[in-house]
Amino acid sequence: MNVFFEESGDFKVGAILSQAGEAYQVEMPSGKRTKVKTRDVLLQFDKPEPQALLDAAKAIVLDVDLDFLWEVAGQEEFGFAELGAEYFGHAPLPHEAAGLVLALHGSPIYFYKKGRGRYKAAPEQSLKAALAGIEKKKQQAIVQAGYVEELKAGKLPQSMQQIVHQLLFKPDKNTIEYKAFETAASELQTSAPRLMLDVGGLASPKELHMGRFLFEHFPRGAGFAPVDIPKAPGDLPLANVAAFSIDDVTTTEIDDAFSVVRLDDGSVQVGIHIAAPGLGIRPDDAIDKIARARMSTVYMPGDKITMLPDEVVNAFTLAEGNDCPALSLYAVLDPSDWSLKSTTTRAERVPIKNNLRHNDLDHVVNEETLESGAGDYPHKDELGLLWKWALQLEAGRMKKREAFGLKPEQANRVDFNFYVEDDVVSIVRRKRGAPLDKIVAELMIFANSTWGKLLHDSGVPGIYRSQTPGAGGWAAKMQVRMVTHAAPHQGLGVDQYAWSTSPLRRYTDLVNQWQILAAAEHGVTAPLVAPFKHRDATLFSIVSAFDAAYSAYNDFQQNMERYWCLRWLGQENVKQAEAVVLKDELVRLVDVPLVVRLTGMPQVARGAQVKLDIVRWDEIDLQLEARLLEVASAEPDASLDYEEEADTGEAAVAEVVEAEGAVAAVDTGDAPQPAPASAQ
């Protein structure tokens, strides 16, 4: 005797060997033996052989007319044998009955299973809906297959042209567009970004990197809606100075300027004048909400996304020939030893006589000309005095750094300026700490430290940058963090440091400017009128949001700088390159700030110069493959930057100094992020 039975949702056949109670010992056609409970047996038959019955049953399934079978079944629950008699017109033969079971079980949209061998026909409306769904899926499968063929032929389907970024960066995996795109990429054995470039959805790898950043951080676009231009109060006093700024040629957000006046008593008055959008923008107004949403200007080689609309920047930037609203810090100095006699802070209009540019002055303003008085250039006398004071400021900071147990700042670092025009990049090395850089940086550090103290002494909270050792004591890596109270910045060698000198491009500085204006105008009553009070939840949320945005913008800038370094390799047809060892297997090219890992490189001293064979690079993955040709010199070159800034906290020092005045590492001339000269 043979049986047709159900086991774990599958239908099988076999020959009965024995019976014990409510179970059969069954041998299947494969020779395998199994125990089958009697309740799972649907048919018992003598002929044909088990395998022959199963084959015949499967043939029956192919001939079953499901629509007719559904009509015959009616709306009542039934057993398969009952329906078989109606459908076949006679008591079904074993192979017919088995075939009917397979047909019923394999058509769940027509028949609902109610038990072993028992079913019920689906309601008419449910059946129609299910059939419509199946037909829709068939049509979608046809369309999807068409999309795949278009993609494989190098054409982007029309329906994908408006969702390129969504497909790449945040796809809906249930859509046929995504499924087709994924299938095509898999069949072509390529990645999604490469396929999108191949089919013309993206014009270049640059558009890929830009698109990813904008999609995540500027989903509504990087432009601005029309805004009303804020104005500073009309009764601001006019300063009796002739101020000048020092920036890169492409800088548009001119935040800072300087003035020098010799007083009758022989003292020197140095003015540090900071653009004052805080006099026109008020907390929670329309412009403030724009700035708070962005938190900072975003920099990249060849472009930038400003924190404020251009018309607002133009209203407050310190452009030459204008009397500009400014927050001024005046320092009265004794030129005999450059000691500080007094400081004064006030809001006023400042006449900007010149916007000096590094590109015009770097070749004539250096340490030798400043010391000797040689050369002829604008504001020569003022720059000479500022240079002497900057050296004193630097020396004072170095003493305090030493008191904190830190090494002196390195003087041999190099920065890289990126200039992009018509997709052609120029990367220019520039030694960090050049005189003009040092003047701006030291005066900005002085202003930020002085104003930080003013806020603290006035009892007004602000946003400070603090740098202290992390957990583990002095041997631990220095940690830079943002706090709302005065705290030392040991890396810079100052007792407090409140970002305040870039309010056109950094939201923290705009917030601090509001607080400083309150402290300067109201003195001891400033805590009552300042926009942000102690333990203000809004101030804490600003700090948190700024940290997140600033970190993301910095990562993006470094990625874009790496992209343009790789473009430069191709543009200049570089086959071999000089590099300097940073640490272990990490080396950095000398001509561009591009770091590459040489896996398996022999142990070479840090700072050693090596020659590389450039094998290949990838502008999509931003990877460079190179191999070591030779060790050109095992001795460190003092003119090259090779030390790792992270060792004693100099990374944070460099970041702050660059942010506050050193020439920018990008073409905009005023990037707040550090150049990637010593970071991978």
Side-chain angles (χ1 to χ4, degrees):
M1 181 66 69
N2 304 313
V3 290
F4 174 76
F5 61 96
E6 183 177 358
E7 183 181 77
S8 302
D10 195 10
F11 295 94
K12 302 177 181 180
V13 292
I16 297 176
L17 299 178
S18 61
Q19 182 176 5
E22 298 297 319
Y24 296 110
Q25 183 73 13
V26 174
E27 183 178 24
M28 292 186 288
S30 64
K32 179 182 177 181
R33 296 185 177 186
T34 186
K35 182 181 292 185
V36 179
K37 295 181 179 179
T38 55
R39 69 170 183 269
D40 293 332
V41 174
L42 299 176
L43 289 173
Q44 292 189 18
F45 59 95
D46 290 322
K47 295 181 180 180
E49 292 298 318
Q51 187 59 51
L53 176 131
L54 193 58
D55 293 341
K58 291 178 180 179
I60 290 290
V61 173
L62 298 177
D63 293 333
V64 169
D65 184 339
L66 290 173
D67 291 316
F68 177 65
L69 189 64
W70 179 82
E71 291 180 6
V72 170
Q75 293 301 306
E76 299 298 324
E77 184 180 318
F78 59 85
F80 71 92
E82 303 165 22
L83 182 61
E86 291 287 333
Y87 181 76
F88 293 109
H90 60 266
L93 299 174
H95 71 281
E96 292 175 330
L100 189 59
V101 171
L102 295 178
L104 292 168
H105 192 79
S107 307
I109 67 170
Y110 280 90
F111 302 99
Y112 301 154
K113 186 176 181 182
K114 294 296 182 180
R116 296 288 186 186
R118 299 194 63 78
Y119 298 87
K120 183 179 181 184
E124 183 176 3
Q125 292 301 318
S126 298
L127 178 60
K128 288 182 178 180
L131 291 173
I134 290 175
E135 183 61 27
K136 181 179 179 181
K137 288 183 178 180
K138 288 181 180 179
Q139 295 302 318
Q140 288 178 334
I142 294 172
V143 173
Q144 181 176 319
Y147 288 165
V148 172
E149 293 306 313
E150 284 189 78
L151 290 165
K152 291 169 67 176
K155 180 181 178 182
L156 184 65
Q158 181 72 31
S159 66
M160 297 185 186
Q161 293 178 10
Q162 303 302 316
I163 57 171
V164 168
H165 290 166
Q166 182 179 338
L167 279 173
L168 288 174
F169 311 134
K170 193 177 180 181
D172 180 351
K173 297 184 179 181
N174 293 319
T175 63
I176 60 173
E177 286 82 6
Y178 171 78
K179 293 176 181 177
F181 197 77
E182 185 182 49
T183 299
S186 177
E187 293 182 5
L188 291 171
Q189 296 184 335
T190 189
S191 66
R194 294 181 196 282
L195 177 58
M196 191 61 79
L197 284 163
D198 291 342
V199 299
L202 294 171
S204 67
K206 172 188 170 185
E207 188 176 326
L208 169 69
H209 302 308
M210 281 291 300
R212 178 182 288 114
F213 175 76
L214 293 174
F215 185 84
E216 181 177 354
H217 296 282
F218 294 86
R220 297 181 181 178
F224 296 94
V227 296
D228 294 329
I229 302 175
K231 295 182 179 179
D235 58 350
L236 290 174
L238 181 65
N240 186 25
V241 298
F244 58 93
S245 64
I246 307 172
D247 294 283
D248 188 73
V249 67
T250 52
T251 301
T252 58
E253 299 159 292
I254 302 176
D255 288 300
D256 51 82
F258 312 100
S259 65
V260 178
V261 176
R262 291 185 178 273
L263 303 179
D264 293 339
D265 63 358
S267 300
V268 173
Q269 174 189 276
V270 174
I272 302 173
H273 311 286
I274 304 302
L279 292 170
I281 303 171
R282 302 310 304 160
D284 293 324
D285 69 10
I287 304 299
D288 174 49
K289 290 175 181 177
I290 291 173
R292 188 180 298 187
R294 299 195 173 201
M295 285 292 169
S296 171
T297 291
V298 183
Y299 294 93
M300 71 208 83
D303 203 0
K304 63 181 175 182
I305 302 171
T306 58
M307 180 180 76
L308 295 170
D310 287 346
E311 53 267 38
V312 177
V313 171
N314 293 337
F316 291 96
T317 189
L318 303 182
E320 69 179 23
N322 295 332
D323 297 338
C324 302
L327 178 62
S328 297
L329 172 61
Y330 289 102
V332 178
L333 309 168
D334 182 345
S336 65
D337 59 1
W338 296 103
S339 58
L340 180 65
K341 299 173 70 174
S342 65
T343 60
T344 304
T345 297
R346 59 173 171 264
E348 58 188 1
R349 287 181 298 126
V350 175
I352 306 298
K353 185 175 181 180
N354 295 108
N355 292 143
L356 304 184
R357 303 295 184 175
H358 286 285
N359 310 60
D360 300 325
L361 295 179
D362 277 350
H363 66 288
V364 294
V365 180
N366 52 52
E367 295 184 18
E368 291 74 19
T369 58
L370 287 168
E371 291 292 341
S372 66
D376 185 20
Y377 46 87
H379 298 281
K380 176 181 174 181
D381 292 340
E382 293 98 320
L383 288 171
L385 290 171
L386 293 179
W387 169 245
K388 293 176 181 178
W389 187 36
L391 293 177
Q392 295 297 316
L393 289 172
E394 181 185 46
R397 291 195 304 106
M398 292 306 100
K399 287 183 179 180
K400 186 155 286 190
R401 275 176 56 88
E402 292 176 9
F404 288 138
L406 300 179
K407 296 187 297 185
E409 293 174 4
Q410 284 186 231
N412 66 329
R413 300 193 184 283
V414 291
D415 289 326
F416 292 85
N417 286 16
F418 289 72
Y419 300 92
V420 180
E421 185 173 353
D422 297 329
D423 228 27
V424 176
V425 62
S426 300
I427 304 176
V428 181
R429 285 183 58 179
R430 190 172 189 276
K431 185 178 178 180
R432 183 182 297 172
L436 292 179
D437 291 349
K438 184 169 292 188
I439 289 171
V440 176
E442 290 299 335
L443 268 62
M444 293 302 100
I445 294 172
F446 173 79
N448 287 324
S449 178
T450 301
W451 277 334
K453 186 175 188 302
L454 173 65
L455 291 177
H456 174 71
D457 292 346
S458 301
V460 175
I463 299 176
Y464 294 81
R465 298 279 286 182
S466 172
Q467 188 185 36
T468 54
W474 291 104
K477 182 179 178 180
M478 299 287 285
Q479 300 293 321
V480 179
R481 59 195 181 99
M482 302 189 75
V483 294
T484 59
H485 60 273
H489 195 303
Q490 296 180 0
L492 280 177
V494 292
D495 292 327
Q496 63 280 315
Y497 189 83
W499 263 353
S500 313
T501 53
S502 298
L504 292 176
R505 57 190 176 89
R506 229 169 22 209
Y507 189 68
T508 51
D509 299 51
L510 178 59
V511 168
N512 278 341
Q513 187 171 91
W514 285 325
Q515 302 294 87
I516 294 166
L517 286 167
E521 182 178 356
H522 297 281
V524 294
T525 62
L528 301 176
V529 298
F532 300 95
K533 310 298 190 289
H534 280 291
R535 303 185 181 278
D536 192 317
T538 302
L539 197 60
F540 291 125
S541 68
I542 289 170
V543 169
S544 177
F546 181 86
D547 261 342
Y550 201 67
S551 176
Y553 297 172
N554 180 50
D555 290 344
F556 170 67
Q557 179 185 330
Q558 293 195 10
N559 281 340
M560 293 308 295
E561 288 178 356
R562 189 169 180 86
Y563 164 78
W564 284 109
C565 287
L566 295 174
R567 282 296 302 271
W568 182 86
L569 292 177
Q571 176 184 296
E572 303 298 319
N573 195 29
V574 177
K575 303 298 183 183
Q576 296 181 352
E578 302 292 330
V580 61
V581 177
L582 297 181
K583 183 181 180 182
D584 299 331
E585 298 178 339
L586 291 180
V587 302
R588 196 204 69 215
L589 273 60
V590 170
D591 293 324
V592 293
L594 189 58
V595 175
V596 59
R597 183 180 296 277
L598 299 179
T599 304
M601 185 181 77
Q603 187 72 31
V604 180
R606 184 163 56 181
Q609 298 173 68
V610 297
K611 181 177 288 187
L612 305 181
D613 179 26
I614 305 299
V615 179
R616 58 177 293 276
W617 60 87
D618 191 325
E619 294 175 9
I620 298 174
D621 294 334
L622 300 179
Q623 295 298 315
L624 171 65
E625 181 181 340
R627 60 172 172 258
L628 180 67
L629 287 179
E630 62 178 272
V631 178
S633 172
E635 293 297 323
D637 186 339
S639 68
L640 297 176
D641 167 27
Y642 64 89
E643 290 287 349
E644 286 193 288
E645 291 177 338
D647 285 349
T648 57
E650 284 94 338
V653 177
E655 176 257 334
V656 174
V657 172
E658 282 187 353
E660 299 310 337
V663 69
V666 293
D667 68 318
T668 51
D670 48 7
Q673 293 86 6
S678 57
Q680 186 177 15

